Amino acid sequence: MTQAATARAGSAAPGDPAVPGAPGGPVLGAAEFSAIAAIMQSDARIHLSEAKTTLVHSRLSRRLREHGLTDFRNYVRLVQSDPQERAAMVVALTTNHTHFFREAHHFDHFRATAVPWLQQRARSGPVRIWSAGCSSGEEVHTIAMCLLGESRQVPGWLRSADLRLLATDIAPHVVESTSRGIYSATTVEPVPTAYREAWMRRFGADYQMADEARALVTAKVLNLFDPWPMRQRYDVIFCRNVMIYFDDQAKAELEARFVDLLAPGGYLYIGHSERLIGPAAARMRACGHTIYQKEAT
Ligand SMILES: C[S@@+](CC[C@H](N)C(=O)[O-])C[C@H]1O[C@@H](n2cnc3c(N)ncnc32)[C@H](O)[C@@H]1O
């Protein structure tokens, strides 16, 4: 850790470069940054490089204020002794950016290729889809709308299918948002009109996902590095823009678990800047940009 990890000029050590922030505010020193980074690594496998110093400083300054603390040394002591604050810190340092129909080519592929396959599978058994690292639910509700289609009628095959969408995230507040399925008018802008008219209802100034869409979704808090509760194979997994926060070992472990969980022929969608890096890649066939299919045998 270099001096660059010391944020805010206030009471920084002589020679420490200033990182943007109000003069006299709390200083994030190198030792405190290292302690915070170590907790993120052990609890969520999120890798924080020194380049994230300003981000850590700004996200955690609010938590310091909430606890009436004026310096990071005491905040780190608090986090080390209070599991609840430790969990709150991990959540505060997650990045929850998402939007409806993000990376539209995934949903083009999903509609054209995965949905017909799922339709077939639904005839003989359950169908399971997972949005892993779902944030506030735009991803899982996009998947739900792609399954429901553009007309206002639930398709016949879906009515009789045992089909469930699981949405999970480490951050409880976004899981709560996923369950509520309420989004501002600005948030729903990327949703094509036909889908919006079919599967969203006005909710004051906002929109709420229609009951038919919400009924498909179960949202749960889950740290991806904890044991998973699923007892059956999954047909489709979306884990997009989540693995970028992990180190290579964590990515490889997670990929292997996803591939193990997938049914033969199942699909894995990952984020636009991600790629499979571990041995699990050998068990998957690339079938589009950041889209993989598990070998059928
Ligand atoms: C940038 S969002 C991606 C949301 C959505 N998948 C998308 O692509 O639009 C990343 C999400 O991963 C979650 N996350 C980060 N580390 C996690 C972990 N160890 N276990 C579960 N979720 C995690 C964060 O809380 C955040 O909501």
Side-chain angles (χ1 to χ4, degrees), residues 43-46 91 94-99 102-103 131-136 138-139 168-171 173-174 222-225 238-246 271:
D43 291 15
R45 305 287 292 270
I46 292 176
V91 167
T94 59
T95 296
N96 311 119
H97 175 77
T98 185
H99 57 83
R102 183 178 195 179
E103 294 171 49
S131 164
C134 62
S135 188
S136 36
E138 286 86 334
E139 178 177 275
T168 65
D169 201 283
I170 196 172
H173 68 290
V174 293
L222 178 71
N223 182 338
L224 288 169
F225 295 95
F238 284 74
C239 184
R240 307 183 312 155
N241 310 300
V242 179
M243 289 194 275
I244 35 166
Y245 300 104
F246 306 145

Side-chain angles (χ1 to χ4, degrees), residues 61-74:
S61 288
R62 187 160 161 223
R63 299 227 50 82
L64 264 72
R65 279 197 300 279
E66 275 181 25
H67 289 282
L69 296 173
T70 51
D71 70 76
F72 273 95
R73 201 165 307 150
N74 282 328

Side-chain angles (χ1 to χ4, degrees), residues 156-203:
W157 75 270
L158 200 49
R159 250 181 278 137
S160 54
D162 170 9
L163 182 148
R164 305 283 322 143
L165 303 185
L166 175 67
T168 65
D169 201 283
I170 196 172
H173 68 290
V174 293
V175 171
E176 172 65 28
S177 301
T178 302
S179 295
R180 280 160 45 92
I182 296 172
Y183 300 101
S184 70
T186 314
T187 304
V188 307
E189 265 167 25
V191 180
T193 309
Y195 284 117
R196 188 159 74 224
E197 287 178 351
W199 306 117
M200 290 180 165
R201 310 282 174 253
R202 289 310 297 231
F203 190 85

